[in-house]
Coordinates of all heavy atoms in Angstrom, one line a residue:
I46 N 3.1 -2.8 -7.6 CA 2.7 -1.7 -8.5 C 2.4 -2.3 -9.8 O 1.4 -1.9 -10.5 CB 3.9 -0.7 -8.6 CG1 4.0 0.1 -7.3 CG2 3.7 0.2 -9.8 CD1 5.3 0.9 -7.1
K47 N 3.1 -3.3 -10.3 CA 2.8 -4.0 -11.6 C 1.4 -4.7 -11.5 O 0.6 -4.6 -12.4 CB 3.9 -5.0 -11.9 CG 3.7 -5.7 -13.2 CD 4.8 -6.6 -13.6 CE 4.6 -7.3 -14.9 NZ 5.6 -8.2 -15.3
K48 N 1.2 -5.3 -10.4 CA -0.1 -6.0 -10.2 C -1.3 -5.0 -10.1 O -2.4 -5.3 -10.5 CB -0.1 -6.9 -8.9 CG 0.9 -8.1 -9.1 CD 1.0 -8.8 -7.8 CE 2.1 -9.9 -7.9 NZ 2.3 -10.7 -6.7
L49 N -1.0 -3.9 -9.5 CA -2.0 -2.8 -9.4 C -2.3 -2.2 -10.7 O -3.4 -1.6 -11.0 CB -1.6 -1.7 -8.4 CG -1.6 -2.1 -6.9 CD1 -0.8 -1.0 -6.1 CD2 -3.0 -2.2 -6.4
G50 N -1.3 -2.2 -11.6 CA -1.4 -1.6 -12.9 C -1.4 -0.1 -12.9 O -2.2 0.6 -13.6
I51 N -0.6 0.5 -12.0 CA -0.6 1.9 -11.8 C 0.9 2.4 -11.9 O 1.8 1.6 -11.8 CB -1.2 2.4 -10.4 CG1 -0.4 1.7 -9.3 CG2 -2.7 2.0 -10.4 CD1 -0.9 2.2 -7.9
A52 N 1.0 3.7 -11.9 CA 2.3 4.3 -11.8 C 2.7 4.4 -10.4 O 1.8 4.5 -9.5 CB 2.3 5.7 -12.5
P53 N 4.0 4.3 -10.1 CA 4.4 4.4 -8.7 C 3.9 5.6 -7.9 O 3.5 5.4 -6.7 CB 6.0 4.4 -8.7 CG 6.3 3.6 -10.0 CD 5.1 4.0 -10.9
I54 N 3.8 6.7 -8.5 CA 3.3 7.9 -7.8 C 1.9 7.7 -7.3 O 1.5 8.3 -6.3 CB 3.4 9.2 -8.7 CG1 3.2 10.4 -7.9 CG2 2.5 9.1 -9.9 CD1 4.3 10.7 -6.9
E55 N 1.1 6.9 -8.0 CA -0.3 6.6 -7.6 C -0.4 5.8 -6.3 O -1.5 5.8 -5.7 CB -1.0 5.9 -8.7 CG -1.2 6.8 -9.9 CD -1.9 6.1 -11.0 OE1 -3.1 5.8 -10.9 OE2 -1.2 5.7 -12.0
L56 N 0.7 5.2 -5.8 CA 0.7 4.5 -4.6 C 1.2 5.3 -3.4 O 1.2 4.9 -2.3 CB 1.6 3.2 -4.7 CG 1.5 2.2 -3.6 CD1 0.1 1.7 -3.4 CD2 2.5 1.0 -4.0
V57 N 1.7 6.5 -3.7 CA 2.2 7.4 -2.7 C 1.1 8.2 -2.0 O 0.2 8.8 -2.6 CB 3.2 8.4 -3.3 CG1 3.7 9.4 -2.3 CG2 4.4 7.6 -3.9
R58 N 1.2 8.3 -0.7 CA 0.3 9.1 0.1 C 1.0 10.5 0.1 O 1.8 10.8 0.9 CB 0.2 8.6 1.6 CG -0.5 7.3 1.6 CD -0.5 6.7 3.0 NE -1.2 7.6 4.0 CZ -2.5 7.8 4.2 NH1 -3.3 7.0 3.5 NH2 -2.9 8.6 5.0
Q59 N 0.6 11.3 -0.8 CA 1.2 12.6 -1.1 C 0.9 13.7 -0.1 O 1.6 14.8 -0.1 CB 0.9 13.1 -2.5 CG 1.4 12.1 -3.6 CD 1.1 12.6 -5.0 OE1 1.3 13.7 -5.3 NE2 0.7 11.6 -5.8
K60 N 0.0 13.4 0.8 CA -0.3 14.4 1.9 C 0.6 14.2 3.1 O 0.5 15.0 4.1 CB -1.8 14.4 2.2 CG -2.6 14.9 1.1 CD -4.1 14.9 1.4 CE -4.9 15.4 0.2 NZ -6.3 15.4 0.4
E61 N 1.3 13.1 3.1 CA 2.2 12.8 4.3 C 3.3 13.9 4.4 O 3.8 14.3 3.4 CB 2.8 11.4 4.2 CG 1.9 10.3 4.3 CD 1.4 10.1 5.8 OE1 2.2 10.4 6.7 OE2 0.3 9.5 5.9
T62 N 3.6 14.2 5.6 CA 4.6 15.3 5.9 C 6.0 14.9 5.3 O 6.6 15.7 4.7 CB 4.8 15.5 7.4 OG1 3.5 15.8 8.0 CG2 5.8 16.6 7.7
I63 N 6.3 13.6 5.4 CA 7.6 13.2 4.8 C 7.7 13.5 3.3 O 8.7 13.9 2.8 CB 7.9 11.7 5.1 CG1 8.1 11.4 6.5 CG2 9.0 11.2 4.3 CD1 8.0 10.0 6.9
W64 N 6.6 13.2 2.6 CA 6.5 13.5 1.2 C 6.6 15.0 0.9 O 7.4 15.4 0.1 CB 5.2 12.9 0.6 CG 5.2 13.2 -0.9 CD1 4.5 14.2 -1.6 CD2 5.9 12.4 -1.9 NE1 4.7 14.1 -2.9 CE2 5.6 13.0 -3.2 CE3 6.7 11.3 -1.9 CZ2 6.1 12.5 -4.4 CZ3 7.2 10.8 -3.1 CH2 6.9 11.4 -4.3
K65 N 5.8 15.8 1.6 CA 5.8 17.2 1.4 C 7.1 17.9 1.6 O 7.6 18.7 0.9 CB 4.7 17.9 2.2 CG 3.3 17.5 1.7 CD 2.2 18.4 2.4 CE 1.7 17.8 3.6 NZ 0.6 18.5 4.2
E66 N 7.8 17.4 2.7 CA 9.1 18.0 3.1 C 10.3 17.6 2.3 O 11.2 18.3 2.1 CB 9.4 17.8 4.6 CG 8.4 18.5 5.5 CD 8.6 18.2 7.0 OE1 9.5 17.3 7.3 OE2 8.0 18.9 7.8
N67 N 10.2 16.3 1.7 CA 11.4 15.8 1.1 C 11.3 15.5 -0.4 O 12.3 15.4 -1.1 CB 11.8 14.5 1.8 CG 12.2 14.7 3.2 OD1 13.1 15.4 3.5 ND2 11.4 14.1 4.1
Y68 N 10.1 15.4 -0.9 CA 9.9 14.9 -2.3 C 9.0 15.7 -3.2 O 9.1 15.6 -4.4 CB 9.4 13.4 -2.3 CG 10.3 12.5 -1.5 CD1 10.0 12.1 -0.2 CD2 11.5 12.0 -2.0 CE1 10.8 11.2 0.5 CE2 12.3 11.2 -1.3 CZ 12.0 10.8 0.0 OH 12.8 9.9 0.7
K69 N 8.1 16.4 -2.6 CA 6.9 17.0 -3.3 C 7.3 17.7 -4.6 O 6.8 17.5 -5.7 CB 6.2 17.9 -2.4 CG 4.9 18.5 -3.1 CD 4.2 19.4 -2.1 CE 3.0 20.0 -2.8 NZ 2.4 21.0 -2.0
D70 N 8.2 18.6 -4.5 CA 8.5 19.5 -5.7 C 9.7 19.0 -6.5 O 10.2 19.8 -7.3 CB 8.8 20.9 -5.2 CG 7.5 21.5 -4.6 OD1 6.4 21.3 -5.1 OD2 7.6 22.3 -3.6
K71 N 10.1 17.8 -6.3 CA 11.2 17.2 -7.1 C 10.7 16.4 -8.3 O 9.6 15.8 -8.2 CB 12.1 16.3 -6.2 CG 12.7 17.1 -5.1 CD 13.6 16.2 -4.2 CE 14.2 17.1 -3.1 NZ 15.0 16.2 -2.2
N72 N 11.5 16.4 -9.3 CA 11.1 15.6 -10.5 C 11.7 14.2 -10.4 O 12.8 14.0 -10.8 CB 11.6 16.3 -11.8 CG 11.1 15.7 -13.0 OD1 10.2 14.9 -13.0 ND2 11.7 16.0 -14.2
L73 N 11.0 13.3 -9.7 CA 11.5 12.0 -9.4 C 11.2 11.0 -10.5 O 10.1 11.0 -11.1 CB 10.9 11.5 -8.1 CG 11.1 12.4 -6.9 CD1 10.3 11.9 -5.7 CD2 12.6 12.5 -6.5
T74 N 12.1 10.1 -10.7 CA 11.9 8.9 -11.5 C 11.0 7.9 -10.8 O 10.9 8.0 -9.6 CB 13.2 8.2 -12.0 OG1 13.8 7.7 -10.8 CG2 14.2 9.2 -12.6
D75 N 10.5 6.9 -11.5 CA 9.7 5.9 -10.9 C 10.6 5.1 -9.8 O 10.1 4.8 -8.8 CB 9.2 4.9 -11.9 CG 8.0 5.5 -12.7 OD1 7.5 6.6 -12.4 OD2 7.6 4.8 -13.7
D76 N 11.8 4.9 -10.2 CA 12.7 4.2 -9.3 C 12.9 5.0 -8.0 O 13.0 4.4 -6.9 CB 14.1 3.8 -9.9 CG 13.9 2.7 -10.9 OD1 12.9 2.0 -10.9 OD2 14.9 2.6 -11.8
Q77 N 13.1 6.3 -8.1 CA 13.3 7.1 -6.9 C 12.0 7.2 -6.1 O 12.1 7.2 -4.8 CB 13.7 8.6 -7.4 CG 15.0 8.7 -8.0 CD 15.3 10.0 -8.6 OE1 14.5 10.6 -9.3 NE2 16.5 10.5 -8.3
I78 N 10.9 7.1 -6.7 CA 9.6 7.1 -5.9 C 9.5 5.8 -5.2 O 9.1 5.8 -4.0 CB 8.4 7.3 -6.9 CG1 8.4 8.7 -7.4 CG2 7.1 7.0 -6.1 CD1 7.5 9.0 -8.6
I79 N 9.8 4.7 -5.8 CA 9.8 3.4 -5.2 C 10.8 3.3 -4.0 O 10.5 2.8 -2.9 CB 10.1 2.3 -6.2 CG1 8.9 2.2 -7.1 CG2 10.4 0.9 -5.5 CD1 9.1 1.3 -8.4
T80 N 12.0 3.9 -4.2 CA 13.0 4.0 -3.1 C 12.5 4.8 -1.9 O 12.6 4.4 -0.8 CB 14.3 4.6 -3.6 OG1 14.8 3.7 -4.7 CG2 15.3 4.7 -2.5
A81 N 11.8 5.9 -2.2 CA 11.2 6.7 -1.2 C 10.2 5.9 -0.4 O 10.2 6.0 0.9 CB 10.6 8.0 -1.8
M82 N 9.3 5.1 -1.0 CA 8.3 4.3 -0.3 C 9.0 3.2 0.5 O 8.6 2.9 1.6 CB 7.3 3.8 -1.3 CG 6.3 4.8 -1.8 SD 5.0 4.1 -2.8 CE 5.8 3.6 -4.3
A83 N 10.0 2.6 0.0 CA 10.7 1.6 0.7 C 11.4 2.1 1.9 O 11.5 1.5 3.0 CB 11.7 0.8 -0.2
T84 N 12.0 3.3 1.8 CA 12.7 4.0 2.9 C 11.7 4.5 3.9 O 12.0 4.5 5.1 CB 13.5 5.2 2.3 OG1 14.4 4.7 1.3 CG2 14.3 5.8 3.4
H85 N 10.6 5.0 3.5 CA 9.5 5.6 4.4 C 8.2 4.9 4.1 O 7.4 5.4 3.4 CB 9.4 7.1 4.1 CG 10.7 7.9 4.2 ND1 11.3 8.2 5.4 CD2 11.5 8.4 3.2 CE1 12.4 8.9 5.1 NE2 12.5 9.0 3.8
P86 N 8.0 3.7 4.7 CA 6.8 3.0 4.4 C 5.5 3.7 4.7 O 4.4 3.3 4.2 CB 6.9 1.7 5.3 CG 8.2 1.8 5.9 CD 8.9 3.1 5.6
T87 N 5.5 4.8 5.6 CA 4.3 5.5 5.8 C 3.8 6.2 4.5 O 2.6 6.6 4.5 CB 4.5 6.6 6.9 OG1 5.5 7.4 6.5 CG2 4.8 6.0 8.3
L88 N 4.6 6.3 3.5 CA 4.2 6.9 2.3 C 3.3 5.9 1.4 O 2.7 6.4 0.4 CB 5.4 7.3 1.4 CG 6.3 8.4 2.0 CD1 7.5 8.7 1.1 CD2 5.4 9.7 2.1
I89 N 3.3 4.7 1.8 CA 2.6 3.7 1.0 C 1.1 3.8 1.3 O 0.6 3.7 2.4 CB 3.1 2.3 1.2 CG1 4.6 2.2 0.9 CG2 2.3 1.2 0.4 CD1 5.2 0.9 1.3
E90 N 0.3 3.9 0.2 CA -1.2 3.9 0.3 C -1.6 2.6 0.9 O -1.0 1.6 0.6 CB -1.8 4.2 -1.0 CG -3.3 4.4 -1.0 CD -3.7 5.6 -0.2 OE1 -3.5 6.8 -0.7 OE2 -4.1 5.4 1.0
R91 N -2.7 2.6 1.6 CA -3.2 1.4 2.3 C -4.7 1.3 2.4 O -5.3 2.4 2.3 CB -2.5 1.2 3.7 CG -3.0 2.4 4.6 CD -1.9 3.0 5.2 NE -2.3 4.1 6.1 CZ -1.5 5.1 6.4 NH1 -0.3 5.1 6.0 NH2 -1.9 6.0 7.3
P92 N -5.2 0.1 2.6 CA -4.5 -1.2 2.5 C -4.4 -1.7 1.1 O -5.2 -1.3 0.2 CB -5.5 -2.1 3.3 CG -6.8 -1.5 3.0 CD -6.6 0.0 2.9
I93 N -3.4 -2.5 0.8 CA -3.3 -3.1 -0.5 C -3.6 -4.6 -0.3 O -3.1 -5.3 0.6 CB -1.8 -3.0 -1.0 CG1 -1.4 -1.5 -1.1 CG2 -1.7 -3.7 -2.3 CD1 0.1 -1.3 -1.2
V94 N -4.5 -5.1 -1.1 CA -4.8 -6.5 -1.1 C -4.3 -7.1 -2.4 O -4.6 -6.6 -3.5 CB -6.3 -6.7 -0.9 CG1 -6.7 -8.2 -1.0 CG2 -6.8 -6.1 0.4
V95 N -3.5 -8.2 -2.2 CA -2.9 -8.9 -3.4 C -3.5 -10.3 -3.4 O -3.6 -11.0 -2.4 CB -1.4 -9.0 -3.3 CG1 -0.8 -9.7 -4.4 CG2 -0.8 -7.5 -3.2
N96 N -3.9 -10.8 -4.6 CA -4.3 -12.1 -4.8 C -3.7 -12.6 -6.1 O -4.1 -12.2 -7.2 CB -5.8 -12.2 -4.9 CG -6.4 -13.6 -4.9 OD1 -5.6 -14.6 -4.7 ND2 -7.7 -13.8 -5.1
G97 N -2.6 -13.4 -6.0 CA -1.9 -13.9 -7.2 C -1.3 -12.8 -8.0 O -0.5 -12.0 -7.5
D98 N -1.7 -12.6 -9.3 CA -1.2 -11.6 -10.1 C -2.0 -10.3 -10.1 O -1.9 -9.5 -11.0 CB -0.9 -12.1 -11.5 CG -2.2 -12.5 -12.2 OD1 -3.2 -12.6 -11.6 OD2 -2.1 -12.8 -13.4
K99 N -3.0 -10.2 -9.2 CA -3.9 -9.0 -9.1 C -3.7 -8.4 -7.8 O -3.4 -9.0 -6.8 CB -5.3 -9.5 -9.3 CG -5.6 -10.1 -10.7 CD -7.0 -10.6 -10.8 CE -7.2 -11.4 -12.0 NZ -8.5 -12.1 -12.0
A100 N -4.0 -7.1 -7.8 CA -3.9 -6.3 -6.5 C -4.8 -5.1 -6.6 O -5.1 -4.6 -7.7 CB -2.5 -5.8 -6.2
V101 N -5.3 -4.6 -5.5 CA -6.1 -3.4 -5.4 C -5.7 -2.6 -4.2 O -5.3 -3.2 -3.2 CB -7.6 -3.7 -5.4 CG1 -8.1 -4.3 -6.7 CG2 -8.1 -4.5 -4.2
I102 N -5.9 -1.3 -4.2 CA -5.9 -0.5 -3.1 C -7.3 -0.5 -2.6 O -8.2 -0.1 -3.2 CB -5.4 0.9 -3.4 CG1 -4.0 0.9 -3.9 CG2 -5.4 1.8 -2.1 CD1 -3.5 2.2 -4.5
A103 N -7.5 -1.2 -1.4 CA -8.9 -1.4 -0.9 C -9.5 -0.2 -0.2 O -9.7 -0.3 1.0 CB -8.9 -2.7 -0.1
R104 N -9.7 0.8 -0.9 CA -10.3 2.0 -0.4 C -11.5 2.3 -1.4 O -11.2 2.8 -2.5 CB -9.4 3.2 -0.4 CG -8.2 3.0 0.6 CD -7.3 4.1 0.6 NE -7.8 5.3 1.2 CZ -7.5 5.6 2.5 NH1 -6.7 4.9 3.2 NH2 -7.9 6.7 3.0
P105 N -12.7 2.1 -1.1 CA -13.2 1.4 0.2 C -12.8 0.0 0.2 O -12.4 -0.6 -0.8 CB -14.7 1.6 0.1 CG -15.0 1.7 -1.4 CD -13.8 2.3 -2.0
A106 N -13.0 -0.6 1.4 CA -12.6 -2.0 1.7 C -13.2 -3.0 0.6 O -12.6 -3.9 0.2 CB -13.0 -2.4 3.1
E107 N -14.4 -2.7 0.2 CA -15.1 -3.6 -0.8 C -14.4 -3.7 -2.1 O -14.7 -4.7 -2.8 CB -16.6 -3.1 -1.0 CG -17.5 -3.1 0.2 CD -17.2 -2.1 1.3 OE1 -16.6 -1.0 1.0 OE2 -17.5 -2.3 2.5
K108 N -13.5 -2.8 -2.4 CA -12.7 -3.0 -3.6 C -11.9 -4.3 -3.6 O -11.6 -4.9 -4.7 CB -11.7 -1.8 -3.8 CG -12.4 -0.6 -4.3 CD -11.5 0.4 -4.8 CE -10.7 0.0 -6.0 NZ -11.1 0.5 -7.3
A109 N -11.6 -4.8 -2.4 CA -10.9 -6.1 -2.3 C -11.7 -7.2 -3.0 O -11.1 -8.2 -3.5 CB -10.6 -6.4 -0.9

Side-chain angles (χ1 to χ4, degrees):
I46 290 164
K47 183 177 180 182
K48 292 173 185 181
L49 287 166
I51 62 174
I54 191 66
E55 294 176 71
L56 190 57
V57 173
R58 295 177 56 83
Q59 296 180 46
K60 294 181 182 177
E61 289 288 332
T62 302
I63 293 169
W64 181 262
K65 290 193 267 185
E66 291 178 353
N67 298 296
Y68 303 103
K69 182 180 178 187
D70 294 323
K71 296 181 180 176
N72 187 15
L73 302 173
T74 65
D75 286 350
D76 288 341
Q77 289 170 318
I78 292 167
I79 290 167
T80 298
M82 287 188 285
T84 304
H85 306 285
T87 56
L88 293 177
I89 301 170
E90 189 60 78
R91 65 232 178 201
I93 303 167
V94 177
V95 178
N96 189 6
D98 63 351
K99 299 176 186 168
V101 294
I102 299 170
R104 296 176 75 98
E107 292 75 24
K108 282 194 66 105

